[in-house]
Amino acid sequence: HKSTVHRILATLILRGYVQQEPQTQEYRIGLRLMEISHAIVDQFHVQRLHGFLQDLMRASQETVHLGVLDGGEVIYVDKVESTETIRMYSRLGRRVPPHCTSLGKVLLAYMGAERLHTVIAHHGLRQYTDNTITDAAELGAHLEAVRAQGYAVDDEEHEANIRCLAGPVFDSRGQIRAAFSLSGPKFRMTWEKIEDLIPLVRKFSQTMSAACGYEEDGS
């Protein structure tokens, strides 16, 4: 109801989340949300890791994303766009399913079995392409392999003609904090290129984790 909306807007204006233009009386986002967004950026070490993402883009010539898991979905919190004319489309804040993206599979692989079961139960395993894993047992075995090898591949599982390669970022407690991915069109992200990029992903996984305080011996 209009009166309810106006009361909510008045509260949001009072607290700085919304502003109203004096001339047009139209509403827009307030600066308080910028403070919150910066707090989230700090929480996930986004600024600290951005330089590494730039290095990865230069080394691979593909779009690089940094993502975290939020409510059973992956959300892009940072990215460095490829300089290639043909590249994967994405935007910051976009949410994607975890079971069929390389970022998501890395994030799922390092969570506990109980939480993984909860995510699957709440969000399901929707099929997006012919390559999407839609069986829970198959996904579980796949995630074991991801954890063992230290990286995940999305072979056109979420979007046709797009392949992605992702690695984990751990924090000082040894828990997964985020994941990063290299994404590009299949004609450029060939299996040969992916094989060449795997050592790079493993190296940057160690380097970025170290920047977040992670020590491999667990101390």
Side-chain angles (χ1 to χ4, degrees), residues 65-76 88-91 93-105 107-108 119 123 128 154 158-159 164 181:
H65 294 98
L66 185 72
V68 298
L69 203 62
D70 178 55
E73 296 177 303
V74 178
I75 182 169
Y76 296 143
M88 176 186 173
Y89 166 78
S90 64
R91 58 178 173 78
R94 182 188 180 192
R95 291 176 178 268
V96 294
H99 69 286
C100 56
T101 56
S102 62
L103 280 174
K105 288 192 287 186
L107 293 165
L108 292 179
V119 170
H123 295 273
Y128 289 86
D154 165 9
H158 183 226
E159 298 181 57
C164 310
S181 68

Side-chain angles (χ1 to χ4, degrees), residues 1-197:
H1 195 278
K2 286 184 179 180
S3 61
T4 302
V5 172
H6 280 292
R7 283 198 301 272
I8 293 171
L9 282 170
T11 301
L12 293 173
I13 290 171
L14 181 65
R15 296 181 181 273
Y17 295 104
V18 171
Q19 295 179 345
Q20 188 175 24
E21 295 288 350
Q23 290 79 17
T24 65
Q25 299 298 300
E26 293 180 346
Y27 297 93
R28 61 185 176 88
I29 292 173
L31 294 178
R32 175 65 177 148
L33 287 176
M34 183 181 293
E35 296 178 28
I36 294 174
S37 69
H38 281 299
I40 294 172
V41 163
D42 291 340
Q43 178 183 350
F44 293 108
H45 308 291
V46 173
Q47 291 180 332
R48 188 181 306 173
L49 298 177
H50 186 75
F52 297 112
L53 304 187
Q54 292 177 316
D55 292 341
L56 273 167
M57 190 284 292
R58 285 191 287 266
S60 66
Q61 293 300 303
E62 303 296 349
T63 297
V64 181
H65 294 98
L66 185 72
V68 298
L69 203 62
D70 178 55
E73 296 177 303
V74 178
I75 182 169
Y76 296 143
V77 294
D78 198 6
K79 65 175 286 194
V80 177
E81 197 85 54
S82 170
T83 56
E84 297 286 346
T85 303
I86 300 175
R87 54 187 182 265
M88 176 186 173
Y89 166 78
S90 64
R91 58 178 173 78
L92 290 181
R94 182 188 180 192
R95 291 176 178 268
V96 294
H99 69 286
C100 56
T101 56
S102 62
L103 280 174
K105 288 192 287 186
V106 166
L107 293 165
L108 292 179
Y110 292 93
M111 69 169 51
E114 184 176 345
R115 189 180 174 200
L116 175 62
H117 176 77
T118 300
V119 170
I120 294 174
H122 285 184
H123 295 273
L125 300 175
R126 176 183 166 186
Q127 183 167 6
Y128 289 86
T129 72
D130 291 340
N131 292 353
T132 305
I133 299 174
T134 58
D135 178 77
E138 182 183 354
L139 179 63
H142 185 84
L143 295 178
E144 285 184 16
V146 169
R147 193 163 54 249
Q149 64 199 17
Y151 65 87
V153 175
D154 165 9
D155 179 21
E156 301 183 83
E157 296 166 50
H158 183 226
E159 298 181 57
N161 299 313
I162 295 292
R163 284 188 180 136
C164 310
L165 174 65
V169 180
F170 300 102
D171 63 17
S172 58
R173 297 172 296 170
Q175 297 180 348
I176 189 163
R177 173 59 61 180
F180 63 93
S181 68
L182 313 175
S183 305
K186 182 175 71 172
F187 76 85
R188 205 165 56 236
M189 283 287 280
T190 62
W191 288 114
E192 290 78 12
K193 181 173 182 177
I194 288 174
E195 287 294 330
D196 289 341
L197 289 173

